Amino acid sequence: MNAINKVVILGGGTAGWMAAAALAKVLGHLTVELVESEQIGTVGVGEATIPTLLFFNRLLGIDEVDLLRETQATFKLGIAFENWRRPGSDYFHGFGSTGKDFWAAGFHNFWRRGIEEGMACSFGDYCLEVQAARAGRFSHEGGINYAYHIDASRYGQYLCKLAQRNGVKRTEGRVTRVEQQPQTGDIVALELADGSRVQGDLFIDCSGFRGLLIEQTLACGYEDWSHWLPCDRAVAIASDVLPDAPPYTRAIAHDSGWRWQIPLRERTGNGLVYASHHLSDDEAAARLLSELDGEAHGEPRYIRFTTGRRRQQWYKNCVAIGLSAGFIEPLESTSIHLIQQNILKLIKLFPSDVILSQDRDEFNRHADFDYEQILDFIVLHYHLTERDDSAFWRHCASMEVPASLHERIALFAESGRFFVRNNELFVDSWFQVMIGQGLVPKRYHRVVAQMPVPELEQFLSSIRRTINAKVEAMPAHSFYLERLLA
Ligand code: FAD
């Protein structure tokens, strides 16, 4: 076994450059070389993020204003889900928590009784981020939780410069052959089209959907999740910038999937995600183009995908990060987060000298958990619907879902109870989505039942008053951005 001194990253998409920048920053003594092919290019989508990216950027020492300027970014407070429960309905998934929890009973219990007593408003009215998003306002003040809408290719370029400043070597070229150790199967080197050879000790596969190392070379296998997530294609196009860019993503359900609208500073990102079984590529593109707010820029781009994950994301001396590791769905913008998770896990478990199988197993266990908990959360959006206006939605509503999700929905429906598993990414989000999609628990906690009605009323209205006052004090999102970047 070789001591790990040199890391080779294959792929210069978001995953590759995030990995390169982080390794160079944290493990500066390593030699890191990244191979990418401009001829092959990157997937070229992925503009919405979640708040965990702020932690990653901080780790890299990135200045927020500089990043916003360089990546055309806007702030994102959550996602507006339109037509998901039924056509014409909408709700918000905001990044913050809703209301105030009591240790024995989450806020939704108080809200649930408030509904019964005829005194509560919509669930989202008790969430600062949702209310600020609805009002189109933003400010760093007041402890708001936020993420970014970002031009992903510019983010990649930004990290590329940062990584190279920290010593990462960039090699342009197309990998045509992968050399393996005959006895162990470990990867030894990548051979490029010009005949040159890039040798390494540990290889990070960031080659995108093709998984050139983890799959095409090491044949790790892929767990296909399309029976739970039937969308398998997307068509994407940019359009004119939106006036007063809203601080949220729009996810608008249609009869065979959904459409995204992501406001950046100089353009708007749009895409239609669909199940090819129910909608043809031409119909999808025609629908996307007809629903754009503003003029389209360029031609629509088609992307095919199979939702699922690689059976092992660290196998032999190869770690898969990004689309080569798996792809769930862009619905909750979790891919860049999963990239970051694999990078952080790899750094935590980075071999002191040689690769230990225990480290690899631990990495894979955590990676499985990271993917599975997000899977459940995404499937929830599709499954918990009252839509029966198309074969697609009838399938989603009636399909069998993962057992863990089934149990969660059943428990919440009966009792309003929800138990957090390990270190879950989404917690409050579950309440927002379940309630938003129409699942109101039958019962609430006894602690809440004991509360005198005037006290409950005072409790609920004081939360709303505080939130409304904070939102009132915030400037408009686009005005705030302009001032910040001036
Ligand atoms: P890629 O961008 O495909 O990069 C692959 C790299 O490998 C390229 O540099 C390529 O040149 C290189 N390469 C491949 N083969 C070779 C070879 N033989 N030789 C040399 N180089 C090679 N994520 C989010 O977080 N938010 C979103 O809103 C979001 N929306 C999405 C919407 C859709 C429809 C899809 C499909 C994905 C979305 N994602 C989103 C996911 C996001 O796009 C990816 O996670 C992210 O772009 C990372 O991609 P990657 O770096 O793994 O792969």
Side-chain angles (χ1 to χ4, degrees), residues 429-464:
S429 313
W430 274 83
F431 303 124
Q432 298 192 37
V433 174
M434 286 192 288
I435 291 171
Q437 305 253 152
L439 183 68
V440 175
K442 282 192 199 147
R443 299 176 174 80
Y444 48 85
H445 199 281
R446 275 183 177 234
V447 149
V448 177
Q450 285 162 13
M451 202 170 184
V453 171
E455 203 180 306
L456 179 67
E457 189 163 20
Q458 159 65 19
F459 174 67
L460 291 172
S461 56
S462 74
I463 295 174
R464 285 199 63 211

Side-chain angles (χ1 to χ4, degrees), residues 10-17 34-50 76 152 173-176 192 205-210 212 233-236 258 260 262 272-273 303-305 321-327 329-339:
L10 171 60
T14 314
W17 283 114
L34 184 146
V35 180
E36 67 177 321
S37 159
E38 267 169 31
Q39 189 194 350
I40 294 175
T42 65
V43 68
V45 277
E47 295 155 328
T49 66
I50 59 173
K76 173 182 171 188
R174 189 166 53 86
V175 173
T176 48
L192 307 189
D205 187 347
C206 296
S207 65
F209 285 130
R210 49 177 68 74
L212 191 67
R233 297 209 184 159
V235 51
W258 61 283
W260 78 73
I262 298 178
L272 196 96
V273 178
I303 302 143
R304 293 176 174 213
F305 55 84
I321 298 184
L323 296 172
S324 65
F327 183 57
E329 247 272 3
L331 186 57
E332 284 280 358
S333 335
T334 42
S335 288
I336 292 177
H337 166 80
L338 286 167
I339 292 173

